[in-house]
Amino acid sequence: VNTAWSPELFRVYRKDVSVDSMMPSVTYFVLGVVWISAIIAVLASPIMRILASSAYAGAERIIPWLALGFLLNALYFIPVNFIMLHSKTAVVPVLTGTAAIVNIALNLWLVPQYGVIAAAISTAASYGLCLCLTLVVASKIQPVRYDLRSMGAGIVIVSIASLFALRVSIATSAVGEAVVRGLILVCVPLVLWRLAPLDSTTMTGHGFRFLRR
């Protein structure tokens, strides 16, 4: 993520071009990462049954939370680079350190009672906190116009789809489960596409270059 986004952001900034010109590309990047996270969550159960032994039965419950953590951590790199852009790096350890302390506290509190699922949820929650704190700080340093409607709707839609896939009962039949999961994998990207259709302006604008890296 960062190896593509950071160089392009700095290149555009050095050319004295508005960083808002990159925001459509950021929207597609966010929806793309959301979709990858959904694939991981939707396919977690069948992959675990195929590749893992019975000793790992039930581990698929954890994977959607790990996928959510992957998503939130990937999104973190977008705002944190605006902080780096203005050489305000001293605040970054404070943000990440705060999230780490919250993660440790949640683990100490929840893991003894709820086990490994609590650790996965705590990790996702701490990544989410780090993202939110970074967004707040970055917005004060470099105000940008995110397409929050498309991003938020995409995250909500994929979250619902992932939770639904997680609840698909394998007791019905393997074929039925495969059909349901397949429909989710086909329908979700179509919905995401409707949220932010790709046009020629976006493809030729600043920032789309980093999506091609």
Side-chain angles (χ1 to χ4, degrees), residues 121-206:
I121 295 173
S122 298
T123 299
S126 63
Y127 278 135
L129 175 63
C130 188
L131 171 61
C132 292
L133 292 176
T134 306
L135 278 170
V136 171
V137 173
S139 65
K140 297 181 183 298
I141 296 173
Q142 174 70 62
V144 293
R145 293 177 293 181
Y146 295 102
D147 186 358
L148 296 179
R149 183 190 67 84
S150 296
M151 294 179 186
I155 292 174
V156 169
I157 290 169
V158 170
S159 298
I160 293 173
S162 301
L163 289 173
F164 181 74
L166 191 62
R167 296 295 181 181
V168 172
S169 174
I170 61 174
T172 53
S173 69
V175 174
E177 181 187 4
V179 169
V180 172
R181 294 182 186 276
L183 286 174
I184 293 174
L185 291 175
V186 170
C187 292
V188 170
L190 295 177
V191 175
L192 295 179
W193 177 266
R194 292 297 300 170
L195 287 174
L198 195 63
D199 54 37
S200 58
T201 301
T202 303
M203 293 180 67
T204 56
H206 294 286

Side-chain angles (χ1 to χ4, degrees), residues 60-100:
E60 65 273 7
R61 298 182 301 114
I62 302 172
I63 294 179
W65 293 105
L66 297 179
L68 177 60
F70 155 78
L71 166 64
L72 297 173
N73 187 48
L75 299 185
Y76 156 81
F77 288 107
I78 296 174
V80 77
N81 273 287
F82 288 114
I83 299 176
M84 303 289 189
L85 191 65
H86 293 275
S87 302
K88 305 291 186 181
T89 54
V91 72
V92 176
V94 176
L95 301 175
T96 55
T98 300

Side-chain angles (χ1 to χ4, degrees), residues 5-91:
W5 165 244
S6 181
E8 188 64 13
L9 175 63
F10 278 75
R11 184 190 70 82
V12 169
Y13 187 76
R14 284 196 299 268
K15 288 190 173 184
D16 200 26
V17 177
S18 172
V19 294
D20 284 335
S21 64
M22 300 183 69
M23 289 304 102
S25 303
V26 169
T27 299
Y28 292 114
F29 165 74
V30 170
L31 295 181
V33 174
V34 166
W35 173 227
I36 293 173
S37 301
I39 293 175
I40 296 172
V42 170
L43 297 181
S45 180
I47 289 176
M48 287 296 296
R49 290 201 301 273
I50 293 172
L51 299 181
S53 67
S54 58
Y56 294 91
E60 65 273 7
R61 298 182 301 114
I62 302 172
I63 294 179
W65 293 105
L66 297 179
L68 177 60
F70 155 78
L71 166 64
L72 297 173
N73 187 48
L75 299 185
Y76 156 81
F77 288 107
I78 296 174
V80 77
N81 273 287
F82 288 114
I83 299 176
M84 303 289 189
L85 191 65
H86 293 275
S87 302
K88 305 291 186 181
T89 54
V91 72

